[in-house]
C-alpha cells in the first residue's frame, strides 16, 4: 500500500501496517486501529485501509496529541519489525531454501472481513494456512483470484428467506495493490478461453511474510463477458466455473513466471486449480522434453489436497464444455494431446474430472482428517488401482486453525500469564498447555462471560438491523434489544447451510426441545448463522425453517437466526458461546474447523464423531452425538436426534448448572480446561503446516531437485521405466508356487518359493509378496503382507522369489501371491496403478 500523504511522518508505518493482513492476527495492531476512531472502525468492518482514508485533518491533530496512541504505535511497529526479522521455525529446521520454493493455489482465501474474497471453510482454511506459513517462515507464495463482487452479502427477510446481495468492491479501499513489472508498469498475463485471449491483471496482498498474488479479469481490454469471469466467487454456471479454473491454474502459473518465481513444490488445494499441471506440462514440452518426462517432472513437484468426501462434490465438466474452453489451448500439446486429456477423463461418466487430473499429476495426495483420508481411499480405490483400502496412496493431514486469529485477546492474555513465554511459537507442544490448569477458575470464567455478553450484544444488533430493514414495527425492533440471556447456557451452530450438515436436526422433536429450552431454572438458548449458496434451494429452505421456529412463541429469544455470517461474526460466535454444536451426516464432514476455533477459547464441542472430532474427542473434553454407523441414514438421523436431546437433558445442562450456588461453575470450567489442554496443541495450523512441511513440502522439493539435476536424468529414467512396464506388464505371470516345509525354516514357519515370469522386464522391476488374512486383537480379519526376497534369475525371463509364512497356510486355499512394479525412484510403493498378477 502506497504511503498516504496525509499521514504524519511520525506515523508513517501505519500505511504499511494497514496494507499487510498481519494486523488481523496481532491484537496490538487491531487495538491501534480501533483506538484511532472506534465508531468508524466498527462501521468500516475493521478495514484499516479505508479507515486511514477517512480520517480527517482534525483526527490526525487529535492523534498527534494522544500519548496512549503514540505508545501503542511504537509498541506495534517494534513488534512488526521484530516479526519480520525473526529466524522462524522453517529457517531453523530447513535452512537454505529459496524464498519461492512452494506455491499454494486455492480458489478462495479467507483472512479477515476486510478482504471478502472467501465463501466459507475452504477459504478460511487457506487463509489460516498462509498465516501459519508466515509465522513459521515457510518460503511459500499464494495464488488465487480477486473477486470484485466477492461471495455475497446475506440478508433475511421477515419470512426468513435469504436474499443474496452482490457488492462491487473498490480494491483501492482494501489491503491489495497492483503488482509492478520491471519497467514500473502494472503486470499482466493472459489465458486463452474459448478462443478469446483474456487479459489478467496481477494484484498482491501481504500476509505477514507471505505474498498472495491474485488474478483479475475486470479490464477494459477484455470483452464485457470476460470482464465478469473473476467477478464472483462460485457465481454463474459451469461455463464460468471452468473459465475461472483455467484462470486460476493456467493463469496462476503464468503469473509466477511473469513474477520470475520458480517454485519447487506446487500445492493444489482442492481440484479447482488442477489446470496448473497442464500449463506446466506445456512449458516442459515447449522446452523440448518428451511428454512422459514432462509428466514425471510435474508429478514430482505437485501435492494435491482433497476436501470433498462425496463423488458429487468434485468438479466435473461435460466433454463438449471442456473442448469448447480448451480447444484453442490443446493444440500446443501436439501428439501428446490425447494423453493430456486422458489425465482428467472419467470414462464411466464421459466427463472431464478435475480431481482425476489433480491426482494423476500429483505424486503426493492427502485428505484433511484421519477419517476423511480413509473415505478418500475408499472413494478412489478403483481409480488408483484397486488396492486394499489402506494401501491406496492417499494420506491425510488433519486440518487446524490459526490460533492467534481465532483466540480471543482476553483468553490469549491469560495464556500469556500462565503458559510458557513461547506458547505462541511452540503451540504444537502438548506439554506447555499443562499450564492451563494454573489459570484461576474465576479469571477464566470472567473472561468467558464478558465474551458471551459481547456476543449477545452483537446478536441483538444483528436482529435489530434485520427487523429495521424489513420495515417491522417499532415494538418488534425494540424487542430485539431484549432477546437472549447472557446468563443462559448458550449453544452455537454456524456454518455453510448444506443439507448434509443438518442444521435442522435440533428441531426433529419440537415438543421435547420446548421442554429443554423452557425449563424454569436452567435456561438454554441457540444461536444459528450461515449462508446457503444462492443456487442451493434446499440449503435456503433450512434457513427458512430455523427462522420459522425462532418466531414461535415457545422459542422466541431462545432460538435465533443471525444474518450475514462472515469471519467477523464467526470470531465472536466461537469466542462467546458455551458449546459449539456440529451434527453432520457422518462421514460427510471432511474435517470441519469451526469447532477447533471454539476449542481454542475454552468452548466445549458437542458433535457427531466425524472429521476432526472423531480424532479429538477423548470422552471428557466435550460430548459426542451417537449413532450406529451400520444403520441406514434415516435410522442414524433418528439416533443422532435422540442422542442430541438426551445428552442435553441428562449431561450437558445439568453439568452447566451444577454449581449454580457457587461463585462460578467450577465443574464446567474443569472441563473447559481439559478441552483446551487436549485440543489446542493439535488442532492449530502451526501443527498442520509443520506436518505438510515434513511429510509433503520438503520431500517434494528434494524430489524435484533430484529430478532436475544432471539434465533431468532421474525424471527421464523413471519415465522410461514406466513406459517399459506399461508396455510389458501383460507378460508378467506367476508360473510356480512351492510351499512345502523346510528343515531350515524356524518353528511354525515354512519357506515358499515363487517363480515369476517377467517377459522382457528386468529382474529388479517388480516386488512380490504373499497375502493372507488373520484376525487381529479385536477379532477382525485383516490382510497380512509378507515381502518376498528376490533370490535368483532362472533364465527365460523368470525370477525366483522366496519368503516364509505360517506352516498351516496352503496355496490356493489360504494365501495368494501378488506382484507390483517397483523402482527406487517411486514416491510410494503403489505409484503405478496397475492390477497385480494374483494367484488364489
Amino acid at each position: 500500500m502506497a504511503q498516504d500523504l496525509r499521514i504524519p511522518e511520525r506515523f508513517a508505518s501505519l500505511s504499511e501496517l494497514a496494507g499487510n493482513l498481519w494486523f488481523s492476527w496481532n491484537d496490538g495492531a487491531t487495538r491501534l486501529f480501533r483506538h484511532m476512531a472506534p465508531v468508524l472502525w466498527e462501521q468500516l468492518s475493521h478495514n484499516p485501509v479505508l479507515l486511514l482514508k477517512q480520517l480527517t485533518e482534525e483526527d490526525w491533530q487529535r492523534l498527534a496529541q494522544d500519548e496512549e496512541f503514540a505508545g501503542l504505535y511504537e509498541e506495534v511497529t517494534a513488534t512488526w519489525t521484530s516479526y519480520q526479522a525473526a529466524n522462524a521455525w522453517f529457517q531453523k529446521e530447513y535452512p537454505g531454501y529459496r524464498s519461492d520454493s512452494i506455491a499454494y493455489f486455492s480458489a478462495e482465501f479467507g483472512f479477515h472481513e476486510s478482504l471478502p474474497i472467501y465463501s466459507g471453510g475452504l477459504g478460511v482454511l487457506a487463509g489460516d494456512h498462509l498465516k501459519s506459513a508466515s509465522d513459521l517462515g515457510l518460503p511459500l507464495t499464494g495464488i488465487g483470484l480477486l473477486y470484485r463482487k466477492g461471495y455475497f452479502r446475506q440478508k433475511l427477510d421477515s419470512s426468513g428467506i435469504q436474499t443474496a446481495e452482490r457488492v462491487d468492491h473498490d480494491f483501492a479501499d482494501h489491503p491489495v495493490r497492483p503488482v509492478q513489472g520491471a519497467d514500473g508498469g502494472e503486470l499482466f498475463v493472459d489465458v486463452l478461453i474459448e478462443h478469446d485471449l483474456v487479459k489478467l491483471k496481477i494484484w498482491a496482498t501481504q500476509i505477514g511474510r507471505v505474498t498472495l498474488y491474485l488474478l483479475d479479469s475486470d479490464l477494459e481490454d477484455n470483452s464485457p463477458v470476460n470482464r465478469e469471469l473473476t467477478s464472483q466467487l462460485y457465481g454463474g454456471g459451469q461455463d464460468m466455473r471452468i473459465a475461472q479454473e483455467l484462470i486460476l491454474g493456467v493463469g496462476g502459473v503464468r503469473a509466477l513466471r511473469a513474477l520470475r518465481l520458480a517454485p519447487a513444490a506446487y500445492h493444489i488445494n482442492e481440484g479447482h486449480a488442477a489446470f496448473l499441471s497442464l500449463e506446466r506440462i506445456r512449458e516442459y514440452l515447449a522446452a523440448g522434453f518428451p511428454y512422459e518426462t514432462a509428466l514425471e517432472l510435474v508429478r514430482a513437484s505437485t501435492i494435491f489436497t482433497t476436501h470433498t468426501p462425496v463423488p458429487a462434490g468434485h468438479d466435473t465438466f461435460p466433454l463438449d464444455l471442456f473442448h469448447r474452453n480448451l480447444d484453442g489451448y490443446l493444440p500446443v500439446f501436439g501428439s501428446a494431446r490425447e494423453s493430456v486429456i486422458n489425465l482428467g477423463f472419467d470414462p464411466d461418466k464421459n466427463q472431464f474430472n478435475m480431481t482425476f487430473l489433480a491426482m494423476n499429476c500429483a505424486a503426493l495426495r492427502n485428505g484433511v482428517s484421519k477419517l476423511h483420508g480413509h473415505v478418500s481411499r475408499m472413494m478412489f480405490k478403483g481409480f488408483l488401482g484397486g488396492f486394499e483400502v489402506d494401501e491406496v496412496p492417499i494420506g491425510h493431514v488433519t486440518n487446524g486453525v490459526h490460533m492467534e486469529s481465532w483466540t480471543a485477546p482476553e483468553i490469549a492474555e491469560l495464556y500469556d500469564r500462565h503458559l510458557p513465554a513461547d506458547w505462541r511459537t511452540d503451540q504444537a507442544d502438548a506439554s506447555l498447555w499443562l499450564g492451563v490448569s494454573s489459570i484461576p477458575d474465576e479469571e477464566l470464567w470472567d473472561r468467558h462471560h464478558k465474551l458471551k455478553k459481547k456476543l449477545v450484544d452483537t446478536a441483538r444488533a444483528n436482529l435489530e438491523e434485520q427487523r429495521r430493514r424489513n420495515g417491522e414495527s417499532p415494538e418488534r425492533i425494540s424487542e430485539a434489544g431484549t432477546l437472549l440471556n447472557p446468563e443462559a447456557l448458550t449453544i452455537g451452530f454456524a456454518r455453510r447451510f448444506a443439507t448434509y450438515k443438518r442444521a435442522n436436526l435440533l428441531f426433529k422433536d419440537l415438543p421435547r426441545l420446548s421442554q429443554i429450552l423452557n425449563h424454569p431454572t436452567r435456561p438454554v438458548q441457540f444461536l444459528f448463522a450461515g449462508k446457503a449458496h444462492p443456487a442451493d434451494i434446499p440449503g435456503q429452505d433450512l434457513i427458512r425453517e430455523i427462522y420459522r421456529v425462532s418466531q414461535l412463541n415457545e422459542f422466541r429469544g431462545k432460538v435465533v437466526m443471525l444474518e450475514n455470517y462472515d469471519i467477523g461474526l464467526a470470531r465472536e460466535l466461537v469466542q462467546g458461546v458455551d458449546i459449539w454444536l456440529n451434527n453432520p451426516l457422518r462421514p460427510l464432514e471432511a474435517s470441519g474447523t469451526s469447532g477447533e476455533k471454539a476449542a481454542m477459547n475454552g468452548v466445549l464441542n458437542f458433535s457427531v464423531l466425524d472429521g476432526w472430532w472423531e480424532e479429538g474427542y477423548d470422552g471428557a473434553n466435550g460430548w459426542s452425538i451417537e449413532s450406529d454407523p451400520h444403520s441406514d441414514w434415516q435410522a442414524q438421523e433418528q439416533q443422532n436426534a435422540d442422542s442430541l436431546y438426551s445428552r442435553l437433558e441428562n449431561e450437558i445442562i445439568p453439568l452447566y448448572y451444577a454449581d449454580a450456588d457457587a461463585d462460578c461453575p467450577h465443574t464446567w470450567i474443569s472441563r473447559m480446561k481439559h478441552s483446551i489442554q487436549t485440543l489446542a496443541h493439535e488442532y492449530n495450523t502451526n501443527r498442520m503446516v509443520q506436518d505438510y512441511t515434513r511429510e509433503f513440502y520438503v520431500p517434494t522439493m528434494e524430489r524435484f531437485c533430484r529430478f532436475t539435476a544432471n539434465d533431468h536424468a532421474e525424471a527421464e529414467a523413471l519415465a522410461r521405466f514406466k513406459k517399459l512396464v506399461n508396455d510389458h506388464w501383460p507378460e508378467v505371470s506367476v508360473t510356480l508356487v512351492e510351499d512345502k516345509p523346510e528343515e531350515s525354516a524356524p518353528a511354525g514357519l515354512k519357506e515358499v518359493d515363487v517363480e515369476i515370469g517377467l517377459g522382457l522386464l528386468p529382474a529388479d522391476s517388480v516386488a512380490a509378496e504373499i497375502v493372507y488374512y488373520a484376525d487381529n486383537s479385536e477379532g477382525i480379519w485383516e490382510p497380512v503382507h509378507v515381502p518376498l526376497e528376490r533370490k535368483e534369475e532362472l533364465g527365460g525371463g523368470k525370477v525366483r522369489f522366496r519368503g516364509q509364512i505360517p506352516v498351516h497356510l496352503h496355496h490356493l486355499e489360504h494365501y495368494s501371491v501378488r506382484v507390483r512394479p517397483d523402482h527406487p525412484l517411486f514416491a510410494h510403493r503403489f505409484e503405478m496403478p496397475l492390477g497385480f498378477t494374483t494367484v488364489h
Side-chain angles (χ1 to χ4, degrees), residues 525-748:
Q525 58 198 12
F526 286 84
L527 293 177
F528 287 84
K531 298 177 179 178
H533 189 280
D536 182 2
I537 302 305
Q540 294 176 49
D541 289 343
L542 290 176
I543 294 173
R544 193 162 64 248
E545 180 183 353
I546 293 169
Y547 186 89
R548 179 188 65 80
V549 172
S550 75
Q551 302 306 301
L552 299 175
N553 286 334
E554 63 266 41
F555 299 115
R556 185 166 294 173
K558 300 180 180 71
V559 174
V560 168
M561 181 71 210
L562 304 177
E563 69 179 4
N564 201 36
Y565 183 51
D566 67 358
I567 286 178
L569 180 55
R571 208 165 40 238
E572 292 201 37
L573 283 163
V574 299
Q575 294 170 1
V577 298
D578 298 301
I579 289 177
W580 196 256
L581 177 65
N582 188 29
N583 43 243
L585 187 61
R586 186 181 188 272
L588 301 185
E589 186 81 278
S591 176
T593 55
S594 57
E596 297 173 340
K597 300 176 179 81
M600 305 298 171
N601 294 281
V603 172
L604 297 174
N605 277 274
F606 181 29
S607 176
V608 167
L609 291 173
D610 198 7
W612 80 278
W613 190 234
E614 191 258 353
E615 300 170 48
Y617 178 57
D618 72 354
N621 57 2
W623 293 272
S624 63
I625 299 173
E626 302 287 346
S627 67
D628 179 359
H630 303 295
S631 299
D632 62 55
W633 283 9
Q634 188 173 6
Q636 286 190 54
E637 177 144 332
Q638 185 60 55
Q639 293 164 5
N640 283 159
D642 290 341
S643 177
L644 193 161
Y645 291 132
S646 62
R647 281 269 157 90
L648 283 171
E649 293 164 331
N650 302 320
E651 298 178 43
I652 296 173
I653 297 171
L655 184 70
Y656 185 82
Y657 289 105
D659 301 314
D661 297 328
D663 54 347
C664 65
H666 297 285
T667 309
W668 185 270
I669 294 167
S670 175
R671 189 168 288 225
M672 289 173 65
K673 290 181 176 181
H674 180 64
S675 172
I676 296 169
Q677 289 176 322
T678 56
L679 300 175
H681 73 277
E682 183 67 21
Y683 299 101
N684 61 78
T685 43
N686 274 24
R687 186 275 310 157
M688 181 190 84
V689 172
Q690 287 171 333
D691 284 353
Y692 274 114
T693 300
R694 296 186 187 104
E695 299 170 27
F696 293 85
Y697 292 156
V698 169
T700 295
M701 291 187 287
E702 290 178 347
R703 181 174 171 82
F704 185 63
C705 183
R706 287 176 54 197
F707 274 38
T708 54
N710 301 318
D711 263 346
H712 309 86
E714 291 196 354
E716 292 178 356
L718 184 56
R720 286 195 302 271
F721 174 79
K722 287 186 177 180
K723 186 176 187 311
L724 180 68
V725 170
N726 280 317
D727 288 345
H728 296 285
W729 191 251
E731 302 166 15
V732 178
S733 62
V734 175
T735 58
L736 178 67
V737 178
E738 294 183 330
D739 64 352
K740 58 184 180 181
E742 297 286 343
E743 293 182 2
S744 59

Side-chain angles (χ1 to χ4, degrees), residues 23 48 57 168 178 196 302 309 328 337 364 457 496 501 577 606 686 724 730 795:
F23 83 84
E57 192 63 37
D168 277 314
D196 285 344
T302 305
R337 172 189 166 118
L364 301 180
D457 290 343
R496 178 170 60 90
K501 294 178 183 282
V577 298
F606 181 29
N686 274 24
L724 180 68

Side-chain angles (χ1 to χ4, degrees), residues 280-281 284-285 288-300 704 707 711-720:
R280 295 189 59 224
I281 291 171
Y284 283 119
L285 294 179
F289 287 85
Y291 167 74
E292 292 80 8
T293 303
L295 180 58
E296 291 308 322
L297 287 165
V298 169
R299 292 187 76 256
F704 185 63
F707 274 38
D711 263 346
H712 309 86
E714 291 196 354
E716 292 178 356
L718 184 56
R720 286 195 302 271

